[in-house]
């Protein structure tokens, strides 16, 4: 009797924080490159996102504690590949471009790579969110010396190193805390351009002024206390 071969282990795990993203999930998951395993972290969706992700072949983690950082960290803990990427799950970022951020980490040329968003259309990045990102990036450069222009929600680093940072924020400050702690640990941090597309569905953060203000507040708190 023939035994089915064991599928090769993923070179890269991709953490996809998810809150009501059923409309975007099919496109996001079909764009996943070979060797990249999607880990969809459901953060309390009411639209069947978790079941849809499972049906589409993704590994699904349930994180009942609400918060972007809570979802990201749950995915990091669930990852098993040596390199972990983070990517928004709303189709604003193309998973097909994940190798741009992961390859320098896989080859040992960088410790943390962030995708610098380049808006594909004016609708992709509302002015209030673009301005807030610019202000935070300026503060981040002043704090860390890292030559960064974007907080880069698409990013990659080695899993063991990320766990060693001791990331504590569980809200919108999680991505910023990662960069601050990485810079403090003398990581080699790089940026690379990625396309930024109009998201599918309703935005919880950058699509609303209120959401952007909340994110800026969370990130400012990180800069003040880390």
């Amino acid at each position: 009797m023939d035994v089915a071969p064991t599928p090769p282990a993923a070179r890269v795990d991709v953490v996809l924080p998810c809150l009501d993203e059923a409309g975007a999930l099919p496109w996001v998951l079909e764009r996943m490159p070979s060797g990249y395993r999607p880990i969809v972290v459901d953060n309390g969706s009411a639209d069947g996102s978790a079941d849809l992700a499972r049906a589409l072949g993704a590994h699904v983690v349930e994180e009942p504690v609400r918060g972007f950082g809570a979802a990201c960290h749950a995915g990091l803990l669930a990852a098993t590949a040596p390199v972990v990427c983070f990517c928004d799950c709303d189709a604003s970022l193309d998973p097909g471009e994940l190798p741009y951020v992961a390859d320098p980490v896989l080859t040992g040329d960088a410790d943390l790579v962030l995708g610098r968003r380049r808006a594909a259309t004016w609708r992709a990045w509302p002015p209030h969110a673009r301005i807030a990102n610019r202000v935070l990036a300026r503060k981040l450069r002043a704090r860390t010396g890292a030559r960064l222009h974007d907080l880069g929600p698409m990013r990659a680093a080695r899993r063991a190193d990320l766990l060693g940072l001791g990331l504590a924020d569980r809200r919108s400050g999680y991505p910023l805390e990662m960069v601050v702690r990485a810079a403090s640990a003398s990581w080699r941090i790089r940026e690379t351009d990625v396309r930024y597309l109009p998201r599918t569905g309703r935005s919880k953060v950058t699509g609303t002024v209120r959401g952007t203000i909340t994110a800026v507040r969370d990130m400012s708190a990180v800069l003040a206390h880390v």
Side-chain angles (χ1 to χ4, degrees):
M1 176 176 159
D2 293 336
V3 178
T6 301
R11 292 193 310 150
V12 179
D13 279 336
V14 183
V15 176
L16 298 161
C18 176
L19 177 59
D20 295 330
E21 302 292 3
L25 274 167
W27 184 85
V28 169
L29 294 177
E30 76 178 11
R31 296 286 299 166
M32 201 64 57
S34 176
Y36 288 63
R37 180 179 69 140
I39 301 176
V40 174
V41 185
D42 189 72
N43 203 206
S45 298
D47 67 348
S49 289
D51 290 339
L52 176 60
R54 289 188 188 94
L56 293 172
H59 178 64
V60 176
V61 175
E62 305 278 356
E63 176 48 69
V65 177
R66 283 292 183 95
F68 183 76
C72 286
H73 204 69
L76 175 61
L77 293 175
T80 56
V83 171
V84 175
C85 288
F86 297 84
C87 184
D88 286 350
C89 196
D90 57 11
S92 63
L93 295 165
D94 182 358
E97 297 185 349
L98 283 166
Y100 294 152
V101 297
D103 282 354
V105 179
L106 287 165
T107 59
D109 293 325
D111 301 310
L112 174 64
V113 180
L114 283 69
R116 182 181 182 181
R117 290 169 289 182
R118 298 294 193 177
T121 71
W122 66 269
R123 294 188 302 110
W125 207 345
H128 61 271
R130 191 189 296 255
I131 292 168
N133 180 75
R134 188 178 300 139
V135 170
L136 285 167
R138 187 181 303 121
K139 290 182 178 180
L140 187 61
R141 288 196 298 272
R143 169 68 183 274
T144 66
R147 298 176 61 84
L148 299 175
H149 302 85
D150 187 9
L151 298 181
M154 180 185 282
R155 53 183 59 191
R158 285 180 289 275
R159 179 179 183 271
D161 292 346
L162 286 169
L163 291 173
L165 291 179
L167 300 174
D169 190 273
R170 294 297 181 264
R171 292 169 57 89
S172 299
Y174 187 89
L176 183 62
E177 183 188 7
M178 184 186 297
V179 178
V180 171
R181 291 194 181 278
S184 296
S186 300
W187 285 22
R188 295 165 299 164
I189 303 173
R190 287 174 44 178
E191 271 186 340
T192 188
D193 289 352
V194 296
R195 290 181 301 150
Y196 198 42
L197 310 168
R199 65 155 290 144
T200 298
R202 181 180 64 85
S203 176
K204 291 83 175 174
V205 181
T206 58
T208 67
V209 174
R210 180 179 179 182
T212 299
I213 291 172
T214 298
V216 170
R217 184 183 62 209
D218 290 347
M219 292 182 184
S220 296
V222 168
L223 285 173
H225 295 105
V226 175

